Amino acid sequence: MTKLTHRLAGYLETLARTLRRYGRDDGKVLVLGGVRSGKSRHAERIVAHHTHLVYVAPGLPPSDDDPEWAARVAAHKARRPRHWTTVETTDLATLLRTATSPLLIDCLGTWVSRVLDEVGAWAGKPGWERRLDDRLEDFLAAWTQARVPVVAVSNEVGSGVVPATSSGRLFRDVLGALNNRVSAESDRSLLVVAGRVLELP
């Protein structure tokens, strides 16, 4: 009986993994990758079947002061289907809690950069660590509680060299720790390398 129980449990776990991987209800998915790895394109393919979708852009809006960034934003916009709704916000927690349509968040790296600025980390303002922790914990709680399919794109920052500046190291450490916790609370975690997708166990 014990062998049968173990075998049945193994079958059920395999079935659950298959449903998570191929089911249309995507649950919570984290898509990691380096710069120009194809992570955003893959995330867009994951959610392409949804009739209604909210594309969440938490990065800096385009500006004439930074034409290179403006060009990147324009390229992303041009790829999106017309029926997607775009929301530009850094309040990801509220959006996750109130969403009634599937979400695609692209990306957590740009969000972390803006949050570090908003809490005063770059300027070293007193209390920024506590404010940062509050923002991150609020987001993580909302991610866990989300009741709609949600895909988040994020930069994989653990494979490169140690940044030469303290601000670069801070960004890497905060985003790396956030990726770790988001992955732990996700149904699937994927790593995109040179356009190839690896399913993380």
Side-chain angles (χ1 to χ4, degrees):
M1 191 65 177
T2 304
K3 286 184 180 178
L4 180 61
T5 303
H6 284 302
R7 188 177 300 165
L8 180 59
Y11 287 149
L12 289 174
E13 184 163 346
T14 301
L15 177 61
R17 277 200 305 268
T18 302
L19 289 173
R20 284 198 301 269
R21 186 173 299 167
Y22 298 109
R24 292 184 69 81
D25 185 0
D26 303 305
K28 290 184 274 287
V29 182
L30 176 63
V31 181
L32 297 163
V35 174
R36 300 295 188 186
S37 63
K39 60 187 183 297
S40 292
R41 284 185 183 275
H42 185 71
E44 290 163 8
R45 284 196 291 269
I46 291 173
V47 298
H49 65 275
H50 290 296
T51 306
H52 302 288
L53 181 121
V54 175
Y55 180 96
V56 186
L60 288 170
S63 165
D64 291 338
D65 296 333
D66 190 344
E68 188 270 342
W69 177 250
R72 283 175 181 258
V73 173
H76 271 261
K77 284 184 177 178
R79 280 207 314 258
R80 295 175 211 157
R82 291 185 178 181
H83 62 274
W84 287 8
T85 301
T86 299
V87 174
E88 296 180 356
T89 182
T90 58
D91 191 1
L92 299 186
T94 296
L95 199 59
L96 283 164
R97 290 190 175 101
T98 59
T100 56
S101 297
L103 302 175
L104 170 57
I105 302 170
D106 192 0
C107 75
L108 295 182
T110 54
W111 178 69
V112 164
S113 182
R114 287 192 72 183
V115 169
L116 286 167
D117 186 50
E118 290 175 1
V119 302
W122 303 134
K125 293 181 180 177
W128 71 263
E129 295 98 333
R130 178 185 52 77
R131 291 190 293 273
L132 176 63
D133 284 346
D134 289 346
R135 290 288 296 275
L136 296 180
E137 291 300 328
D138 193 30
F139 165 74
L140 287 163
W143 175 268
T144 303
Q145 298 159 9
R147 295 293 177 260
V148 297
V150 53
V151 176
V153 178
S154 191
N155 302 94
E156 172 49 51
V157 290
S159 301
V161 298
V162 177
T165 64
S166 59
S167 58
R169 291 189 293 272
L170 174 63
F171 172 80
R172 180 203 59 176
D173 291 348
V174 171
L175 184 57
L178 179 66
N179 287 344
N180 198 314
R181 293 188 61 188
V182 171
S183 179
E185 297 296 337
S186 297
D187 298 296
R188 298 170 65 200
S189 294
L190 309 172
L191 176 64
V192 183
V193 180
R196 301 299 183 98
V197 183
L198 303 174
E199 184 105 22
L200 302 179

